[in-house]
Amino acid sequence: MSESVPGIAPEVFAPVKAPVSPTQASEEVEFVQLLTPEGERVEHPDYSFDLDDEAVKGFYRDMTLVRRIDTEATALQRQGELGIWASLLGQEAAQIGSGRALNKKDMVFPTYREHGVAWCQGVDPLNLLGLFRGVDQGAWDPRDNNFHLYTIVIGAQTLHATGYAMGQQRDGAVGGDPDNDTDGEATIAYFGDGASSQGDVNEAFIYASVFNAPVVFFCQNNQWAISEPIDRQTRIPLYQRAAGFGFPGVRVDGNDVLATYAVTQQALKRAREGSGPTLVEAYTYRMGAHTTSDDPTKYRLSEDLEYWKLKDPIERVKAYLTRSAGVDSDFFDAIEAEADGIAARLREGCLSMPDPTLTDFFDHAYVEQTPQLAEQKAQYAAYAASFEGEN
Ligand SMILES: Cc1ncc(C[n+]2csc(CCOP(=O)(O)OP(=O)(O)O)c2C)c(N)n1
Ligand SMILES: [Mg+2]
């Protein structure tokens, strides 16, 4: 292989050296932060958090409840009641901050890990469990809560979101009074650091840019795509990629719910006003396994997790509420009790879900049954019946 190519620096050909741990890389990171890991409020020149402490208490409640939902779902999987579960542990602030910045008419396109955003949109967590239990293929109607079905095909939803946003634009739902951010609609697409390498995501960026679509690309950079570290996805900070596509990018402390709220709110406002897309990179960490089928101890250091535990998104809000907002233990105890109640309801609801029959799957392939599918369903039913009476 040639040592040098005119106009290309030799280091481009050097093997990419993954850092020993993402922890080291994170020391260099600059991002928008409004609440430190110690729970101290800080100011930023471009972003401010303008809600009161009641709202912060609400964020604390949301994050605590979704963490509990997540813990219960993980336990249910371990007990054989769910086929698989994708935990959001560590990403509560990124999801609640962005989810609470949404307006009623905004539309959400999630991946498979956005349980916190689903919560903000009012999707019953039992519906999420049905999907992971395998008794349905997503039992919620996206129109009920402006929250689309989970997408497992990495990055595909960014194209769906861009198409939807272009529809909002063509329906005249964008623009209007720029001082009234309830006037106008936007779309938000969630995806991961690994997804940023997909062709679909890059195509979505181009379409959104040239058509000025009202879409916010919300990337949760949790440092890992299963066992692949962020260094295998990019050599520049992900948010900087937006510049090459012609729209703004911003990196936010994804473990800071106040900053995530403020940054997403501004990006959504831009979109609703007709100023086009924004890429938000929420810098965070996947504290659990990729899914319950994964064992992260095989590929990452436990010291990383210890490092990120100090940046826990919930603990910093608790520290702020206790020290700076005068909130006492009654408040926290009440939320724990509420979490217990939700967990019990979920467990009971999960265990009592009716099993599907295999023929159900033929009914849900298309909105309307086709003659071919009807025939296949009948053939399958006859085949299954031929085993009746056998052990
Ligand atoms: C198109 C496609 N390729 C591969 C996979 C297998 N896969 C499932 S999750 C995943 C990693 C995704 O990582 P990231 O985008 O960072 O999201 P995270 O799981 O960290 O939230 C991969 C490669 C898939 N589901 N779809
Ligand atoms: Mg990831």
Side-chain angles (χ1 to χ4, degrees), residues 209-261:
S209 175
V210 298
F211 288 102
N212 208 40
V215 56
V216 174
F217 294 108
F218 193 91
C219 178
Q220 288 172 87
N221 174 3
N222 63 8
Q223 316 296 325
W224 293 94
I226 315 184
S227 53
E228 287 295 300
I230 182 66
D231 311 80
R232 284 286 179 266
Q233 312 296 343
T234 185
R235 295 188 75 162
I236 60 163
L238 284 178
Y239 77 96
Q240 289 178 5
R241 286 202 185 152
F245 291 92
F247 54 88
V250 54
R251 178 182 264 178
V252 62
D253 179 351
N255 285 17
D256 173 354
V257 70
L258 306 191
T260 309
Y261 174 85

Side-chain angles (χ1 to χ4, degrees), residues 318-370:
K318 188 172 189 179
Y320 167 78
L321 288 174
T322 309
R323 289 190 213 131
S324 307
V327 174
D328 63 25
S329 59
D330 288 353
F331 170 76
F332 300 112
D333 292 347
I335 289 173
E336 288 307 319
E338 188 180 2
D340 286 346
I342 291 174
R345 183 180 78 83
L346 278 186
R347 172 165 292 272
E348 198 188 315
C350 180
L351 300 186
S352 56
M353 282 178 190
D355 283 341
T357 63
L358 275 173
T359 48
D360 288 348
F361 288 94
F362 293 93
D363 297 334
H364 299 138
Y366 297 108
V367 173
E368 284 167 26
Q369 187 68 291
T370 66

Side-chain angles (χ1 to χ4, degrees), residues 125-374:
L126 255 187
N127 275 333
L128 307 180
L129 294 194
L131 181 66
F132 288 92
R133 190 170 165 87
V135 299
D136 58 55
Q137 292 148 305
W140 64 94
D141 185 335
R143 288 167 297 196
D144 290 345
N145 302 87
N146 282 16
F147 187 82
H148 269 255
L149 291 178
Y150 276 178
T151 304
I152 311 291
V153 182
I154 299 296
Q157 74 283 0
T158 57
L159 281 172
H160 309 158
T162 301
Y164 188 92
M166 288 166 65
Q168 287 172 313
Q169 189 181 44
R170 281 155 179 69
D171 284 349
V174 176
D177 177 3
D179 291 328
N180 177 6
D181 66 5
T182 57
D183 191 16
E185 299 177 20
T187 292
I188 189 165
Y190 288 86
F191 61 104
D193 43 292
S196 73
S197 300
Q198 289 289 114
D200 281 8
V201 174
N202 289 270
E203 289 160 17
F205 285 179
I206 293 168
Y207 261 88
S209 175
V210 298
F211 288 102
N212 208 40
V215 56
V216 174
F217 294 108
F218 193 91
C219 178
Q220 288 172 87
N221 174 3
N222 63 8
Q223 316 296 325
W224 293 94
I226 315 184
S227 53
E228 287 295 300
I230 182 66
D231 311 80
R232 284 286 179 266
Q233 312 296 343
T234 185
R235 295 188 75 162
I236 60 163
L238 284 178
Y239 77 96
Q240 289 178 5
R241 286 202 185 152
F245 291 92
F247 54 88
V250 54
R251 178 182 264 178
V252 62
D253 179 351
N255 285 17
D256 173 354
V257 70
L258 306 191
T260 309
Y261 174 85
V263 165
T264 313
Q265 191 192 40
Q266 199 157 305
L268 286 166
K269 189 166 189 285
R270 272 192 85 244
R272 292 182 201 118
E273 287 170 3
S275 301
T278 304
L279 171 62
V280 176
E281 178 191 355
Y283 199 84
T284 181
Y285 188 73
R286 195 198 75 209
M287 291 174 85
H290 170 69
T291 65
T292 46
S293 304
D294 172 48
D295 175 5
T297 65
K298 297 277 187 263
Y299 57 82
R300 69 183 191 189
L301 299 173
S302 58
E303 76 180 68
D304 261 17
L305 183 58
E306 295 309 313
Y307 173 87
W308 279 90
K309 274 184 189 166
L310 301 174
K311 300 179 185 302
D312 189 286
I314 301 183
E315 285 308 313
R316 71 178 70 184
V317 178
K318 188 172 189 179
Y320 167 78
L321 288 174
T322 309
R323 289 190 213 131
S324 307
V327 174
D328 63 25
S329 59
D330 288 353
F331 170 76
F332 300 112
D333 292 347
I335 289 173
E336 288 307 319
E338 188 180 2
D340 286 346
I342 291 174
R345 183 180 78 83
L346 278 186
R347 172 165 292 272
E348 198 188 315
C350 180
L351 300 186
S352 56
M353 282 178 190
D355 283 341
T357 63
L358 275 173
T359 48
D360 288 348
F361 288 94
F362 293 93
D363 297 334
H364 299 138
Y366 297 108
V367 173
E368 284 167 26
Q369 187 68 291
T370 66
Q372 290 87 349
L373 265 183

